[in-house]
Amino acid sequence: MFLVASTNAAIGLTQAMTLLRDGASAIDAVEVAIRAVEANADDHSVGVGGYPNLLGEVELDAGLMQGHDLTSGSVAALKQYPQAISIARKVMERLPHVLLVGTGAARFAAEMGFEPSNLLTEPAREAWTKGLQPEMSVEDLEHIQERHDLWRWVEIATDPERTGGTTNVIARDIDGHLCVGVSTSGWAWKYPGRVGDSPLVGAGFYADDRYGAAACTGAGEMAIRAATAHSIVMYMKMGLPLMEAGTRAMADLNDLGGRYLAGMNFIAVDSHGNHAGFSTYEGAEYLYFEASMEEPVEVPRTHVPVKARWGSNVSCVGERVS
Ligand code: GLY
């Protein structure tokens, strides 16, 4: 039994490990760990307190997948319901669908008995105001809902040097089953309705007990285009060892053209229980916690450089994300 996670999931890992030790399923452990991150208003990349979109509205993406039967559920661009990962689980368990978005996801959350609440905290609102003010005047911001040219602002607003975040958790339970979960408020000041990799099977997460599991944080558009989480697992299915599979999947990002390439991170495990983390940022870490340990330990991620560019700035490197 073990948990592998991004560092910002530390807040939920003890509770998740207690569940695993009591014989709970991997999905129960993933859900409880991620719920703790979603409830942590000090984490501005996930759930309550997450940084909002350009309009100042918090929109959440989350998804999970079980490795024993490849079942999966997700929500995207979900407003007003903080427990995105639990709603994603309900999508998987109660519907013949895999992904719900926007108002449909919120409607389903209400039907499932989830309580709506305000996700935009005062610190996040202040950060939004300050984050946009270098480019927008106070008057611009006051009237932002009426604008018809938000697209003009989005390249500056989602500059990866100033934004980032997401949480990843992979669990293996007493029966050896894997589950992976991801939750995020997405890129700060994103265009309304923007969906990243976090709720997309194969992009932000993937799990298959026979080969392994993987989950991403970082520039979601890149993971979507390269099908990064699935690539890692697919490379292992093809027989590559975990370290090589992760390095290859990261190197694949160098094949992406276009003007918007930033940073990427992922965690991964193989079917033997080996674990690893990878990042385009030097000095990044992830968490590993197995049942015999008292607490999670930080493990260095393997640094794999990937070329980054943003708009006309081809040397952009971006800040480290958890
Ligand atoms: N990786 C999270 C996002 O791009 O939204």
Side-chain angles (χ1 to χ4, degrees), residues 85-160:
I85 197 70
S86 296
I87 301 165
R89 181 175 180 174
K90 291 283 187 208
V91 170
M92 184 189 85
E93 292 176 341
R94 297 290 179 88
L95 296 175
H97 307 316
V98 169
L99 168 63
L100 291 182
V101 305
T103 53
R107 182 189 182 104
F108 175 70
E111 287 187 12
M112 291 294 107
F114 291 90
E115 291 292 330
S117 63
N118 177 29
L119 304 181
L120 184 64
T121 58
E122 192 50 30
R125 199 195 64 77
E126 278 173 22
W128 170 72
T129 307
K130 279 196 193 128
L132 294 187
Q133 259 174 6
E135 285 88 29
M136 284 193 181
S137 68
V138 174
E139 193 174 50
D140 282 337
L141 269 179
E142 276 171 8
H143 296 281
I144 196 165
Q145 287 279 356
E146 297 143 38
R147 297 190 74 101
H148 296 286
D149 64 348
L150 283 184
W151 66 273
R152 288 183 191 281
W153 302 98
V154 83
E155 179 178 312
I156 300 166
T158 55
D159 182 331

Side-chain angles (χ1 to χ4, degrees), residues 46 101 104 130 191 235 240 250 320:
V46 181
V101 305
K130 279 196 193 128
Y191 195 93
Y235 281 133
L240 267 59
M250 195 66 100
R320 190 183 138 188

Side-chain angles (χ1 to χ4, degrees), residues 10 13 25 59 64 67 100 108 111 136 169 179 201 242 259 266 282-283 299-300 302 305 310 322:
L13 294 191
S25 61
E59 291 182 314
L64 44 70
L100 291 182
F108 175 70
E111 287 187 12
M136 284 193 181
V169 179
C179 178
V201 179
L242 173 64
R259 291 185 294 132
F266 43 77
E282 285 186 83
V299 184
T302 299
W310 193 256
S322 48

